[in-house]
Amino acid sequence: MMREAVGSGKTVEEAIDSALAELNIPREEADITILELPSRGLFGILPGKDAMVHVRERFDPVLYASDWVENLLAKMHVNARVSVRKPAESIEISVTGQNLGPLIGRRGQTLDALQYLTTLSLNKKTADFIPVSVDVGDYRKKRQLVIERTARSAMNKVVKTGNKVILNPMSPAERRLVHMALSEEAGVVTYSIGEEPRRKVVIDIKRD
């Protein structure tokens, strides 16, 4: 949720400075609304009023996500380029460069952690949940093609032999790709067995 504060002061500028200090943000990152102008009072009978302003943090989720990942990579001493797209109501982050294997990790585990942390950090500052996808060196795209080919090859074997095929352990996201790839195939069924992190997809003949 966007952060906001109400500031007061003898002048409008003092009120703005008070609210900015409370939020700990610079003026260029704030939307400011003047609620009340200061007054001196009337003939010393009625008291004067302080200025009051409403300040709301200006938040760009695309810029925030890009800066957050770039800062994290800098701390990891990784020299890479970060680009961000915002199709529909989600954010897609792509990291490109040389020697990015450590950012991917074994079977994409480091990449999954990077995506999770980015999603968590971003959505602490938003009112509505924004899904975030992070890819490094097109790993996810390449991995998706491999998984889909593996799934269809296994399906052909199941149809030919009538015996089920159990694929190697996969992450939840990768298992979902298998289920989606074969969801329109009338002759087979897919389901998962086992416990994380060794959970596997089974491809079998659809039996009445």
Side-chain angles (χ1 to χ4, degrees), residues 14 17 21-22 27 32-33 50 62 66 68 77 81-82 102 120 123 129 132-133 154 157 171 195 199 205 208:
E14 285 186 7
D17 289 342
E22 181 178 338
R27 187 163 184 155
I32 300 169
T33 302
D50 286 348
V62 171
S66 177
W68 194 90
H77 305 290
R81 180 175 178 271
V82 177
L120 187 65
N123 283 282
F129 181 79
V132 178
S133 172
K157 184 176 180 180
S171 68
E195 301 295 331
R199 196 161 171 79
I205 291 292
D208 297 330

Side-chain angles (χ1 to χ4, degrees), residues 59-69 82-94 115 118-119 121-123 126 128-135 140:
F59 182 71
D60 182 341
V62 171
L63 181 60
Y64 178 87
S66 177
D67 287 346
W68 194 90
V69 173
V82 177
S83 58
V84 183
R85 295 177 60 249
K86 194 177 187 303
E89 298 302 319
S90 64
I91 288 181
E92 296 178 355
I93 302 173
S94 176
Q115 178 172 292
T118 307
T119 302
S121 179
L122 173 66
N123 283 282
T126 60
D128 299 316
F129 181 79
I130 302 177
V132 178
S133 172
V134 180
D135 201 357
R140 294 197 191 279

Side-chain angles (χ1 to χ4, degrees), residues 6 15 25-26 52-53 59 75 77 80 83 148 162 166 184 201:
V6 173
I25 59 174
M52 292 189 65
V53 300
F59 182 71
K75 292 177 181 178
H77 305 290
S83 58
E148 290 176 349
I166 302 177
E184 301 298 323
V201 174

Side-chain angles (χ1 to χ4, degrees), residues 122-188:
L122 173 66
N123 283 282
K124 282 183 177 180
K125 300 178 71 66
T126 60
D128 299 316
F129 181 79
I130 302 177
V132 178
S133 172
V134 180
D135 201 357
V136 172
D138 285 336
Y139 170 83
R140 294 197 191 279
K141 292 180 180 178
K142 296 172 183 176
R143 181 63 177 161
Q144 178 176 346
L145 292 175
V146 170
I147 290 174
E148 290 176 349
R149 284 198 298 265
T150 300
R152 295 198 175 279
S153 176
M155 178 196 70
N156 292 334
K157 184 176 180 180
V158 169
V159 171
K160 182 177 181 179
T161 66
N163 298 321
K164 66 183 178 183
V165 171
I166 302 177
L167 301 180
N168 291 328
M170 295 180 180
S171 68
E174 292 176 341
R175 295 196 304 271
R176 188 159 50 249
L177 289 175
V178 176
H179 296 313
M180 291 175 61
L182 303 183
S183 62
E184 301 298 323
E185 300 295 336
V188 298

Side-chain angles (χ1 to χ4, degrees), residues 22-43:
E22 181 178 338
L23 296 175
N24 192 28
I25 59 174
R27 187 163 184 155
E28 57 269 21
E29 294 180 10
D31 291 321
I32 300 169
T33 302
I34 298 175
L35 302 177
E36 192 165 351
L37 292 172
S39 65
R40 293 185 177 181
L42 184 62
F43 307 126

